[in-house]
Amino acid sequence: MKFKFKFNIELTQTQLIILSSLFFVLFENFVFFKKSYEAFHNVLFMLGLGGLLFVVISTLLILISNRYIIKPFLIVLFLVSSAAAYYMQAYGTIINDKMIQNIFETDTNEVKDLLNFTLFAYILFLGVLPSLFVYKVKIKNRGIKKEIISRLKLVAFNILLVPVLYLMFSKYWVSFFRSHKTLRMYTNPTYYIYSLGKYIDEKYFTKPMKFKHIGMDAKVEEKGKPKLVIFVLGEAARYDHFSLNGYKRDTNPNLEKIKDLIDFPDVHSCGTETAVSVPCMFSPYNRSDYSDKLAKHTDSVIDIINRAGVNVLWRDNDSGSKGVASRIKNYEDYNNANIKPYCKDGNCVDDVLLYKLQKWINDLNNSKPVFIVLHTKGSHGPAYYKRYPKSFEKFKPICKTNQLQDCKREEVVNAYDNTILYTDHFLDEVIKFLKKNEGKYRVAMYYMSDHGESLGENGIYLHGMPYFIAPDVQKHPASVAWFGKNFDINVSCVKKIAKDAYTQDNLFSTLLGLLDVKTKVYNPKMDIFYKCRIKK
């Protein structure tokens, strides 16, 4: 005997919109209701928020969908919203336009680190199953007139519901809209739809911008031995987990032994995500006037240094230069390298960035200065345990999954601290490398992480929160510097000003100053080392 399941449900478009809107409110917005309850501690007001969210979602679907696109549109929404629900629940992620930019610029290795069974379970139950329902359901064809009337009735119901909700919970709404604006950022799918629209508008529909070349007058003004400067671009290294800054664990055993190392404990980033911080810190714009479009249509400090005649090399082991190094000749990507013993299964530890670097320098057939950027994978989460060789697993037990919320916080911190320990090793290796080149060059190393990281404080993990609400640990990266014997910087002088407050806005002119690049766009007031330069 054969049993055949028949799916004979037939709905109007409006009925499907109502059911879908209810599903989104009831099953895709757990984080929104959780955080709202923590803010107001009133169960009845949660019902009011649910009612308002239903009004917004259903009205949006009424305006956007028609008979021909309603099914595919809802299926896409369910699938995307299920993933959004997971990341908001697991990491406290807010999916704004900057996060959407991150998504489009994420490489395959980063994607792999974010995949896990729980994510697939969310997608199955909150994405695939409702999508199958939408796919199977039969849409009644009852004519345009009846459908319009049906939709107008729903709109009228929504319009009437809004003042009712206001009157029922009047004492809460003002606080919700004025004092708790961030709560709206957790609504699913409305906020990411808004953010996607904002991202698309800025990227594709705003007026085309002509590329702006700056520093056309750039030239190197130095005498004597040429300079060799290595800028190490860190990833997600927060300052307060460096023992140099008083952290209780010995995460910087090598750097603490270096007498002339300079630590900068008060540096703040331009953004809380790589896609913003990296192009911003190398751009001529301050955080207050920075935009992704401006940065992509203006020369970076890398372009200016290259134009001045410096030998420039960018080596990348993270997620690319975000357009910063797209116009220079020497760009090397190690993200999918297979160089033993540094790489395994497409994942390389940062020591790979020094692989045959000496040969590259030796092969230069000129006496010009050299500037090298080493973009490290550093403390990139959530798979912290993949960022260092086994020999650096000092702090145990560690979190061995990308589902940080499933680990004890101690395990997450242990794994993260091991990445800092490995960063300490890597920076020490860079300094040793530079010392070997002091015979031919005046050498220096400057390290700055792109942003910080959350490690489960208040249920927040990773980074990428909107800047105005992001915890300080996401905006407060680690930074150190080291200068060789004959470099024209007074180390004692720098140590006196190292504890002053700086931002990544300082980097543009600081790098120009370190390499003696003279240009009108150089601003000595923004050069951290200007006051401590030894003038000859």
Side-chain angles (χ1 to χ4, degrees), residues 367-418:
S367 58
K368 296 177 181 179
V370 181
F371 178 58
I372 299 170
V373 177
L374 302 179
H375 189 189
T376 65
K377 193 152 289 187
S379 302
H380 197 295
Y384 301 125
Y385 66 100
K386 292 183 178 180
R387 305 296 168 241
Y388 51 85
K390 187 72 174 177
S391 58
F392 285 85
E393 198 170 284
K394 175 181 178 181
F395 306 108
K396 301 175 182 179
I398 65 166
C399 181
K400 292 185 178 181
T401 173
N402 56 13
Q403 299 181 71
L404 302 181
Q405 74 282 0
D406 291 342
C407 294
K408 294 179 180 178
R409 185 165 183 271
E410 176 192 4
E411 295 172 337
V412 174
V413 173
N414 286 344
Y416 181 82
D417 284 349
N418 289 332

Short mmCIF file of all heavy atoms in Angstrom, two decimals, residues 367-418:
data_model
loop_
_atom_site.label_atom_id
_atom_site.label_comp_id
_atom_site.label_asym_id
_atom_site.label_seq_id
_atom_site.Cartn_x
_atom_site.Cartn_y
_atom_site.Cartn_z
N SER A 367 68.33 51.53 -4.73
CA SER A 367 68.65 51.94 -3.35
C SER A 367 67.54 52.81 -2.77
O SER A 367 67.77 53.62 -1.88
CB SER A 367 69.97 52.72 -3.34
OG SER A 367 69.89 53.85 -4.21
N LYS A 368 66.34 52.61 -3.27
CA LYS A 368 65.21 53.39 -2.78
C LYS A 368 64.70 52.81 -1.45
O LYS A 368 64.94 51.64 -1.15
CB LYS A 368 64.07 53.37 -3.81
CG LYS A 368 64.43 54.04 -5.13
CD LYS A 368 63.27 53.91 -6.11
CE LYS A 368 63.60 54.54 -7.46
NZ LYS A 368 62.48 54.40 -8.43
N PRO A 369 63.98 53.62 -0.68
CA PRO A 369 63.40 53.10 0.57
C PRO A 369 62.36 52.03 0.29
O PRO A 369 61.83 51.92 -0.82
CB PRO A 369 62.78 54.34 1.21
CG PRO A 369 62.60 55.32 0.11
CD PRO A 369 63.71 55.06 -0.87
N VAL A 370 62.08 51.24 1.31
CA VAL A 370 61.15 50.11 1.17
C VAL A 370 60.05 50.23 2.23
O VAL A 370 60.33 50.47 3.40
CB VAL A 370 61.89 48.76 1.35
CG1 VAL A 370 60.92 47.60 1.19
CG2 VAL A 370 63.05 48.66 0.37
N PHE A 371 58.81 50.03 1.78
CA PHE A 371 57.68 50.04 2.70
C PHE A 371 56.87 48.77 2.46
O PHE A 371 56.42 48.50 1.36
CB PHE A 371 56.79 51.27 2.48
CG PHE A 371 55.58 51.31 3.37
CD1 PHE A 371 55.71 51.28 4.75
CD2 PHE A 371 54.29 51.36 2.83
CE1 PHE A 371 54.60 51.31 5.58
CE2 PHE A 371 53.18 51.40 3.65
CZ PHE A 371 53.33 51.37 5.03
N ILE A 372 56.70 47.98 3.54
CA ILE A 372 56.01 46.70 3.44
C ILE A 372 54.84 46.68 4.42
O ILE A 372 55.00 47.01 5.60
CB ILE A 372 56.97 45.53 3.75
CG1 ILE A 372 58.12 45.50 2.74
CG2 ILE A 372 56.21 44.20 3.75
CD1 ILE A 372 59.23 44.53 3.11
N VAL A 373 53.67 46.28 3.93
CA VAL A 373 52.51 46.08 4.78
C VAL A 373 52.28 44.58 4.90
O VAL A 373 52.16 43.88 3.89
CB VAL A 373 51.24 46.75 4.22
CG1 VAL A 373 50.04 46.46 5.12
CG2 VAL A 373 51.44 48.26 4.09
N LEU A 374 52.21 44.09 6.14
CA LEU A 374 51.90 42.69 6.40
C LEU A 374 50.53 42.65 7.07
O LEU A 374 50.38 43.02 8.24
CB LEU A 374 52.96 42.05 7.32
CG LEU A 374 54.40 42.10 6.80
CD1 LEU A 374 55.34 41.46 7.83
CD2 LEU A 374 54.54 41.40 5.45
N HIS A 375 49.52 42.23 6.31
CA HIS A 375 48.15 42.19 6.82
C HIS A 375 47.91 40.82 7.43
O HIS A 375 47.72 39.84 6.72
CB HIS A 375 47.16 42.47 5.68
CG HIS A 375 45.76 42.67 6.14
ND1 HIS A 375 44.69 42.76 5.27
CD2 HIS A 375 45.21 42.79 7.39
CE1 HIS A 375 43.58 42.94 5.95
NE2 HIS A 375 43.87 42.95 7.24
N THR A 376 47.88 40.77 8.73
CA THR A 376 47.81 39.50 9.45
C THR A 376 46.37 39.04 9.70
O THR A 376 45.44 39.84 9.72
CB THR A 376 48.51 39.61 10.81
OG1 THR A 376 47.80 40.55 11.64
CG2 THR A 376 49.95 40.07 10.65
N LYS A 377 46.24 37.73 9.92
CA LYS A 377 44.95 37.17 10.32
C LYS A 377 44.75 37.37 11.81
O LYS A 377 43.61 37.39 12.30
CB LYS A 377 44.89 35.68 9.97
CG LYS A 377 43.51 35.07 10.04
CD LYS A 377 43.37 33.90 9.09
CE LYS A 377 43.32 34.35 7.65
NZ LYS A 377 43.00 33.25 6.70
N GLY A 378 45.83 37.53 12.54
CA GLY A 378 45.79 37.93 13.94
C GLY A 378 44.84 37.14 14.81
O GLY A 378 44.97 35.95 15.02
N SER A 379 43.82 37.85 15.32
CA SER A 379 42.86 37.25 16.26
C SER A 379 41.48 37.15 15.62
O SER A 379 40.46 37.33 16.28
CB SER A 379 42.78 38.09 17.53
OG SER A 379 44.05 38.19 18.14
N HIS A 380 41.45 36.85 14.33
CA HIS A 380 40.19 36.79 13.61
C HIS A 380 39.31 35.66 14.15
O HIS A 380 39.70 34.51 14.20
CB HIS A 380 40.46 36.57 12.12
CG HIS A 380 39.29 36.87 11.24
ND1 HIS A 380 38.12 36.16 11.29
CD2 HIS A 380 39.10 37.83 10.29
CE1 HIS A 380 37.26 36.66 10.41
NE2 HIS A 380 37.84 37.68 9.79
N GLY A 381 38.11 36.04 14.57
CA GLY A 381 37.18 35.05 15.09
C GLY A 381 36.16 34.64 14.04
O GLY A 381 36.18 35.15 12.92
N PRO A 382 35.29 33.70 14.37
CA PRO A 382 35.16 33.09 15.71
C PRO A 382 36.10 31.91 15.95
O PRO A 382 36.20 31.42 17.06
CB PRO A 382 33.70 32.62 15.71
CG PRO A 382 33.40 32.32 14.28
CD PRO A 382 34.18 33.32 13.48
N ALA A 383 36.77 31.43 14.89
CA ALA A 383 37.62 30.23 15.03
C ALA A 383 39.02 30.64 15.52
O ALA A 383 40.02 30.48 14.81
CB ALA A 383 37.71 29.48 13.70
N TYR A 384 39.09 31.19 16.73
CA TYR A 384 40.37 31.64 17.27
C TYR A 384 41.40 30.51 17.30
O TYR A 384 42.60 30.74 17.10
CB TYR A 384 40.19 32.19 18.69
CG TYR A 384 39.22 33.34 18.79
CD1 TYR A 384 38.13 33.28 19.66
CD2 TYR A 384 39.38 34.49 18.03
CE1 TYR A 384 37.24 34.32 19.77
CE2 TYR A 384 38.49 35.55 18.13
CZ TYR A 384 37.42 35.46 19.00
OH TYR A 384 36.52 36.49 19.11
N TYR A 385 40.95 29.30 17.55
CA TYR A 385 41.86 28.16 17.71
C TYR A 385 42.61 27.83 16.42
O TYR A 385 43.60 27.09 16.44
CB TYR A 385 41.10 26.93 18.19
CG TYR A 385 40.08 26.38 17.20
CD1 TYR A 385 40.39 25.27 16.42
CD2 TYR A 385 38.84 26.97 17.03
CE1 TYR A 385 39.47 24.77 15.50
CE2 TYR A 385 37.92 26.48 16.12
CZ TYR A 385 38.24 25.37 15.36
OH TYR A 385 37.33 24.89 14.45
N LYS A 386 42.19 28.38 15.29
CA LYS A 386 42.87 28.13 14.03
C LYS A 386 43.95 29.17 13.72
O LYS A 386 44.64 29.06 12.71
CB LYS A 386 41.86 28.15 12.88
CG LYS A 386 40.86 27.00 12.87
CD LYS A 386 39.96 27.10 11.65
CE LYS A 386 38.98 25.94 11.58
NZ LYS A 386 38.10 26.06 10.37
N ARG A 387 44.11 30.16 14.56
CA ARG A 387 44.97 31.29 14.25
C ARG A 387 46.41 31.13 14.72
O ARG A 387 47.23 32.03 14.52
CB ARG A 387 44.38 32.58 14.84
CG ARG A 387 42.96 32.86 14.41
CD ARG A 387 42.85 33.11 12.91
NE ARG A 387 41.45 33.09 12.49
CZ ARG A 387 40.95 32.24 11.62
NH1 ARG A 387 41.74 31.33 11.07
NH2 ARG A 387 39.68 32.28 11.29
N TYR A 388 46.73 30.02 15.34
CA TYR A 388 48.08 29.85 15.86
C TYR A 388 48.47 28.37 15.81
O TYR A 388 47.61 27.49 15.82
CB TYR A 388 48.16 30.35 17.32
CG TYR A 388 47.09 29.78 18.22
CD1 TYR A 388 47.25 28.54 18.85
CD2 TYR A 388 45.90 30.47 18.44
CE1 TYR A 388 46.28 28.00 19.66
CE2 TYR A 388 44.90 29.94 19.26
CZ TYR A 388 45.10 28.71 19.86
OH TYR A 388 44.12 28.18 20.68
N PRO A 389 49.77 28.10 15.73
CA PRO A 389 50.24 26.70 15.78
C PRO A 389 49.94 26.10 17.15
O PRO A 389 49.79 26.81 18.15
CB PRO A 389 51.75 26.82 15.54
CG PRO A 389 51.95 28.17 14.93
CD PRO A 389 50.88 29.05 15.50
N LYS A 390 49.88 24.80 17.19
CA LYS A 390 49.56 24.08 18.43
C LYS A 390 50.51 24.44 19.56
O LYS A 390 50.13 24.46 20.74
CB LYS A 390 49.63 22.56 18.16
CG LYS A 390 49.17 21.70 19.33
CD LYS A 390 47.68 21.75 19.52
CE LYS A 390 47.23 20.76 20.59
NZ LYS A 390 45.78 20.83 20.86
N SER A 391 51.75 24.74 19.23
CA SER A 391 52.76 25.05 20.25
C SER A 391 52.45 26.34 21.02
O SER A 391 53.04 26.60 22.06
CB SER A 391 54.14 25.17 19.60
OG SER A 391 54.15 26.17 18.59
N PHE A 392 51.51 27.15 20.51
CA PHE A 392 51.16 28.39 21.18
C PHE A 392 49.87 28.26 22.00
O PHE A 392 49.33 29.26 22.48
CB PHE A 392 51.01 29.52 20.16
CG PHE A 392 52.34 30.02 19.65
CD1 PHE A 392 52.96 29.38 18.58
CD2 PHE A 392 52.98 31.08 20.25
CE1 PHE A 392 54.19 29.81 18.12
CE2 PHE A 392 54.22 31.52 19.80
CZ PHE A 392 54.83 30.88 18.73
N GLU A 393 49.41 27.03 22.18
CA GLU A 393 48.21 26.81 22.97
C GLU A 393 48.59 26.75 24.45
O GLU A 393 48.57 25.70 25.09
CB GLU A 393 47.52 25.51 22.52
CG GLU A 393 46.07 25.41 22.97
CD GLU A 393 45.37 24.25 22.30
OE1 GLU A 393 45.03 24.38 21.10
OE2 GLU A 393 45.19 23.20 22.96
N LYS A 394 48.89 27.90 24.99
CA LYS A 394 49.36 28.01 26.38
C LYS A 394 48.20 28.06 27.37
O LYS A 394 48.26 27.46 28.44
CB LYS A 394 50.23 29.26 26.53
CG LYS A 394 50.69 29.55 27.94
CD LYS A 394 51.53 30.82 28.00
CE LYS A 394 51.95 31.14 29.43
NZ LYS A 394 52.75 32.40 29.49
N PHE A 395 47.17 28.79 27.00
CA PHE A 395 46.03 28.97 27.90
C PHE A 395 44.95 27.94 27.56
O PHE A 395 44.43 27.92 26.44
CB PHE A 395 45.50 30.41 27.78
CG PHE A 395 46.56 31.45 28.00
CD1 PHE A 395 47.04 32.21 26.94
CD2 PHE A 395 47.11 31.65 29.26
CE1 PHE A 395 48.03 33.15 27.13
CE2 PHE A 395 48.10 32.61 29.47
CZ PHE A 395 48.57 33.35 28.39
N LYS A 396 44.62 27.13 28.53
CA LYS A 396 43.68 26.02 28.31
C LYS A 396 42.66 25.97 29.44
O LYS A 396 42.92 26.50 30.53
CB LYS A 396 44.45 24.69 28.25
CG LYS A 396 45.50 24.61 27.16
CD LYS A 396 46.27 23.30 27.27
CE LYS A 396 47.37 23.23 26.21
NZ LYS A 396 48.14 21.97 26.32
N PRO A 397 41.50 25.31 29.21
CA PRO A 397 41.02 24.70 27.96
C PRO A 397 40.56 25.78 26.98
O PRO A 397 40.27 26.91 27.39
CB PRO A 397 39.86 23.83 28.43
CG PRO A 397 39.34 24.55 29.63
CD PRO A 397 40.53 25.14 30.32
N ILE A 398 40.47 25.43 25.71
CA ILE A 398 40.09 26.41 24.70
C ILE A 398 38.76 26.04 24.04
O ILE A 398 38.33 24.89 24.10
CB ILE A 398 41.18 26.54 23.61
CG1 ILE A 398 41.31 25.23 22.82
CG2 ILE A 398 42.49 26.98 24.20
CD1 ILE A 398 42.10 25.37 21.54
N CYS A 399 38.17 27.02 23.43
CA CYS A 399 36.95 26.80 22.65
C CYS A 399 37.37 26.32 21.26
O CYS A 399 38.04 27.04 20.52
CB CYS A 399 36.16 28.11 22.55
SG CYS A 399 34.62 27.96 21.62
N LYS A 400 37.00 25.09 20.91
CA LYS A 400 37.40 24.50 19.64
C LYS A 400 36.26 24.45 18.63
O LYS A 400 36.15 23.52 17.84
CB LYS A 400 37.95 23.09 19.87
CG LYS A 400 39.27 23.07 20.63
CD LYS A 400 39.83 21.67 20.71
CE LYS A 400 41.18 21.66 21.42
NZ LYS A 400 41.76 20.30 21.49
N THR A 401 35.42 25.46 18.66
CA THR A 401 34.32 25.55 17.71
C THR A 401 34.11 27.02 17.36
O THR A 401 34.56 27.92 18.09
CB THR A 401 33.03 24.97 18.32
OG1 THR A 401 31.95 25.21 17.43
CG2 THR A 401 32.70 25.63 19.65
N ASN A 402 33.41 27.25 16.25
CA ASN A 402 33.06 28.62 15.91
C ASN A 402 31.75 29.06 16.55
O ASN A 402 31.31 30.18 16.37
CB ASN A 402 32.98 28.80 14.39
CG ASN A 402 32.02 27.84 13.73
OD1 ASN A 402 31.23 27.19 14.39
ND2 ASN A 402 32.08 27.76 12.41
N GLN A 403 31.12 28.17 17.31
CA GLN A 403 29.91 28.51 18.05
C GLN A 403 30.30 28.96 19.45
O GLN A 403 30.19 28.21 20.42
CB GLN A 403 28.97 27.30 18.09
CG GLN A 403 28.52 26.84 16.71
CD GLN A 403 27.58 25.67 16.77
OE1 GLN A 403 26.43 25.80 17.17
NE2 GLN A 403 28.07 24.51 16.36
N LEU A 404 30.79 30.18 19.53
CA LEU A 404 31.35 30.69 20.78
C LEU A 404 30.35 30.65 21.93
O LEU A 404 30.73 30.46 23.08
CB LEU A 404 31.86 32.13 20.57
CG LEU A 404 32.92 32.31 19.48
CD1 LEU A 404 33.34 33.77 19.40
CD2 LEU A 404 34.13 31.43 19.75
N GLN A 405 29.08 30.85 21.60
CA GLN A 405 28.05 30.88 22.64
C GLN A 405 27.88 29.52 23.31
O GLN A 405 27.31 29.43 24.41
CB GLN A 405 26.72 31.37 22.06
CG GLN A 405 26.00 30.38 21.17
CD GLN A 405 26.56 30.28 19.77
OE1 GLN A 405 27.53 30.96 19.44
NE2 GLN A 405 25.98 29.43 18.94
N ASP A 406 28.37 28.47 22.68
CA ASP A 406 28.26 27.12 23.25
C ASP A 406 29.45 26.78 24.15
O ASP A 406 29.45 25.73 24.79
CB ASP A 406 28.16 26.08 22.13
CG ASP A 406 26.84 26.17 21.38
OD1 ASP A 406 25.90 26.79 21.92
OD2 ASP A 406 26.76 25.67 20.25
N CYS A 407 30.44 27.64 24.17
CA CYS A 407 31.62 27.42 25.01
C CYS A 407 31.52 28.25 26.29
O CYS A 407 30.80 29.25 26.34
CB CYS A 407 32.90 27.83 24.27
SG CYS A 407 33.29 26.83 22.83
N LYS A 408 32.23 27.82 27.30
CA LYS A 408 32.35 28.65 28.49
C LYS A 408 33.16 29.88 28.11
O LYS A 408 34.07 29.81 27.28
CB LYS A 408 33.07 27.87 29.60
CG LYS A 408 32.29 26.68 30.13
CD LYS A 408 33.09 25.95 31.22
CE LYS A 408 32.31 24.75 31.74
NZ LYS A 408 33.08 24.00 32.76
N ARG A 409 32.85 31.00 28.74
CA ARG A 409 33.55 32.24 28.39
C ARG A 409 35.06 32.10 28.63
O ARG A 409 35.88 32.63 27.88
CB ARG A 409 33.00 33.42 29.19
CG ARG A 409 33.64 34.74 28.73
CD ARG A 409 32.91 35.96 29.20
NE ARG A 409 33.57 37.13 28.64
CZ ARG A 409 34.56 37.77 29.23
NH1 ARG A 409 35.01 37.36 30.41
NH2 ARG A 409 35.14 38.82 28.66
N GLU A 410 35.42 31.36 29.67
CA GLU A 410 36.84 31.13 29.96
C GLU A 410 37.54 30.46 28.77
O GLU A 410 38.67 30.80 28.43
CB GLU A 410 36.98 30.24 31.20
CG GLU A 410 38.42 29.87 31.54
CD GLU A 410 38.52 28.78 32.59
OE1 GLU A 410 37.47 28.25 33.01
OE2 GLU A 410 39.66 28.45 32.97
N GLU A 411 36.84 29.53 28.11
CA GLU A 411 37.42 28.83 26.96
C GLU A 411 37.58 29.76 25.76
O GLU A 411 38.56 29.68 25.02
CB GLU A 411 36.53 27.64 26.59
CG GLU A 411 36.48 26.57 27.67
CD GLU A 411 35.44 25.49 27.37
OE1 GLU A 411 34.49 25.77 26.61
OE2 GLU A 411 35.59 24.38 27.91
N VAL A 412 36.61 30.65 25.58
CA VAL A 412 36.70 31.64 24.50
C VAL A 412 37.88 32.57 24.74
O VAL A 412 38.69 32.83 23.83
CB VAL A 412 35.39 32.46 24.40
CG1 VAL A 412 35.53 33.58 23.37
CG2 VAL A 412 34.22 31.55 24.04
N VAL A 413 38.00 33.06 25.96
CA VAL A 413 39.09 33.98 26.31
C VAL A 413 40.45 33.28 26.18
O VAL A 413 41.42 33.86 25.70
CB VAL A 413 38.90 34.54 27.73
CG1 VAL A 413 40.12 35.34 28.17
CG2 VAL A 413 37.65 35.43 27.78
N ASN A 414 40.51 32.03 26.60
CA ASN A 414 41.77 31.28 26.48
C ASN A 414 42.23 31.17 25.03
O ASN A 414 43.40 31.40 24.71
CB ASN A 414 41.60 29.87 27.06
CG ASN A 414 41.55 29.87 28.58
OD1 ASN A 414 41.93 30.84 29.22
ND2 ASN A 414 41.08 28.78 29.15
N ALA A 415 41.30 30.80 24.15
CA ALA A 415 41.64 30.68 22.73
C ALA A 415 42.06 32.02 22.17
O ALA A 415 43.03 32.12 21.40
CB ALA A 415 40.46 30.11 21.96
N TYR A 416 41.34 33.07 22.55
CA TYR A 416 41.68 34.42 22.06
C TYR A 416 43.05 34.85 22.57
O TYR A 416 43.87 35.40 21.81
CB TYR A 416 40.61 35.41 22.53
CG TYR A 416 40.86 36.82 22.06
CD1 TYR A 416 40.50 37.24 20.79
CD2 TYR A 416 41.49 37.74 22.90
CE1 TYR A 416 40.74 38.54 20.35
CE2 TYR A 416 41.74 39.04 22.48
CZ TYR A 416 41.36 39.43 21.21
OH TYR A 416 41.62 40.72 20.78
N ASP A 417 43.32 34.62 23.83
CA ASP A 417 44.62 35.01 24.40
C ASP A 417 45.77 34.27 23.73
O ASP A 417 46.89 34.80 23.63
CB ASP A 417 44.63 34.77 25.91
CG ASP A 417 43.85 35.82 26.66
OD1 ASP A 417 43.47 36.84 26.04
OD2 ASP A 417 43.59 35.63 27.87
N ASN A 418 45.53 33.05 23.30
CA ASN A 418 46.57 32.33 22.54
C ASN A 418 46.88 33.02 21.22
O ASN A 418 48.01 32.99 20.74
CB ASN A 418 46.14 30.89 22.30
CG ASN A 418 46.16 30.04 23.56
OD1 ASN A 418 46.92 30.30 24.48
ND2 ASN A 418 45.30 29.04 23.63
#
